[in-house]
Amino acid sequence: MTERTQAPYARIAAELRGRIERGELRPGDRVPSTRAITQRWGVAMATASKALATLGQEGLVRAVPGVGTLVAARPATSQGRRPATAAEDDSAQRGRIVRAAVAIADAEGLTALTMRRLAAELGVSAMSLYRHVSTKEQLVALMADAAFGEHALPERPPPHWRERLELSAALQWRLYRAHPWLAGAMNLNRPLLIPNGIRHIDWALAALAGLGLDDDTRMHAAVTLFGYVRGHAVDLEPESDAARTSGVSGQEWMRAQETRLAALVDGGAFPAFAEARADSALTPESLLQYGLTALLDGLALRITTPPN
């Protein structure tokens, strides 16, 4: 039967089938509702229902009460690969959701990320997201875990404990720089129990093993290091937001404040500050490195057993 002589419901089903096969509509995406089909193709409600029923009989879509008609998990391919299990399909969809959420937060900040905004970005209903993530809090935890997983700690660590901790701190700072929202999403009082974050704590604990430190000291040292880098990075998202909304970078803002700062200190009210600032150049990286050096110097004084 040619396209011209196809029944209207079959023609609509064929177009939607093609979009699914080309990947324009992916598993978990919502397909047009019967009302949307009637408006787009100018057909009766019964015709729209028959088109969706045809796709359902082919196993391409499935109806989810309260959500709509969604693209089903992909069947086995002609190369004989097995179809994805429900768990695999859910994992793939969750990964897609997390990647889109990270992209929004990176570009616009975590406050811009809502389930409604995320759903619009993915072209699905907001309710369909809750099939894969139960709450926004769970979504943020998945985002943080994905971010920490971007730069893996090496399987063969540096030989010295200090080098190991410096490497971990450097990787964490790189992640916070790449994702300014990430530091604000972390909380040491109510920590996110994410595997890729705990891996940095485990790495630090292993680096400090065999140095004469008791377990409590090692744990405090590992978490303090993690918290130090995270605390230093908390300013990154507000700075990113300010730069995005104002169009003025942090360095440009500081240069614009020079006249006001000079008026504050040149009158002699803050002599020590005036003297020190003349020879000081502060940057986020210099402050991070200074504090990290001081932290590790202090920790070195507690080590009683020389490293091998």
Side-chain angles (χ1 to χ4, degrees):
M1 182 181 294
T2 66
E3 182 177 344
R4 180 171 298 179
T5 59
Q6 274 185 317
Y9 83 88
R11 193 165 60 249
I12 296 168
E15 183 171 335
L16 293 175
R17 184 186 304 111
R19 293 183 61 190
I20 293 171
E21 291 174 348
R22 291 191 299 271
E24 296 173 11
L25 290 171
R26 301 178 60 182
D29 287 352
R30 188 171 63 172
V31 300
S33 65
T34 52
R35 183 177 299 276
I37 291 174
T38 62
Q39 293 173 347
R40 178 173 176 179
W41 280 277
V43 295
M45 188 70 74
T47 300
S49 298
K50 190 170 183 180
L52 294 181
T54 299
L55 296 175
Q57 292 168 0
E58 296 173 1
L60 294 176
V61 302
R62 59 191 181 89
V64 179
V67 176
T69 303
L70 307 180
V71 178
R74 297 194 186 283
T77 66
S78 58
Q79 284 73 26
R81 288 186 298 223
R82 63 176 176 80
T85 65
E88 289 169 338
D89 182 55
D90 182 68
S91 177
Q93 291 305 308
R94 181 178 294 175
R96 182 181 175 219
I97 290 168
V98 169
R99 288 190 296 274
V102 168
I104 292 172
D106 285 350
E108 303 175 40
L110 199 58
T111 56
L113 177 64
T114 65
M115 300 303 269
R116 184 178 298 276
R117 169 66 193 286
L118 179 57
E121 192 74 18
L122 292 168
V124 301
S125 70
M127 287 302 299
S128 70
L129 299 179
Y130 291 103
R131 295 175 48 243
H132 307 287
V133 290
S134 57
T135 63
K136 184 180 177 181
E137 289 71 23
Q138 184 196 19
L139 173 61
V140 171
L142 292 169
M143 293 165 60
D145 192 50
F148 270 96
E150 288 178 358
H151 298 290
L153 290 159
E155 293 183 8
R156 298 183 62 182
H160 195 274
W161 68 267
R162 185 162 186 146
E163 293 174 334
R164 297 187 193 186
L165 298 188
E166 288 172 340
L167 176 58
S168 177
L171 287 177
Q172 290 172 51
W173 179 249
R174 185 187 304 174
L175 293 172
Y176 290 131
R177 273 296 203 183
H179 307 289
W181 54 270
L182 180 57
M186 311 295 289
N187 185 333
L188 294 186
N189 291 320
R190 299 188 180 190
L192 296 177
L193 301 180
I194 54 175
N196 287 319
I198 295 174
R199 190 163 287 113
H200 278 267
I201 303 296
D202 187 75
W203 169 279
L205 289 170
L208 296 171
L211 299 178
L213 303 174
D214 60 60
D215 289 344
D216 186 60
T217 298
R218 288 195 302 132
M219 182 61 78
H220 273 82
V223 176
T224 296
L225 175 65
F226 190 94
Y228 167 70
V229 181
R230 177 258 175 186
H232 197 69
V234 164
D235 287 339
L236 293 176
E237 184 173 34
E239 166 57 25
S240 179
D241 290 342
R244 181 171 54 250
T245 57
S246 68
V248 178
S249 70
Q251 291 180 336
E252 292 170 335
W253 186 90
M254 284 298 297
R255 287 195 293 269
Q257 305 304 309
E258 186 60 33
T259 300
R260 181 168 179 265
L261 180 59
L264 285 172
V265 301
D266 291 349
F270 310 103
F273 185 89
E275 180 181 4
R277 88 180 188 99
D279 298 318
S280 178
L282 302 179
T283 67
E285 283 72 20
S286 71
L287 289 168
L288 174 74
Q289 189 57 50
Y290 181 88
L292 179 62
T293 298
L295 191 158
L296 298 181
D297 284 348
L299 182 58
L301 296 176
R302 292 175 172 263
I303 292 175
T304 59
T305 302
N308 296 328

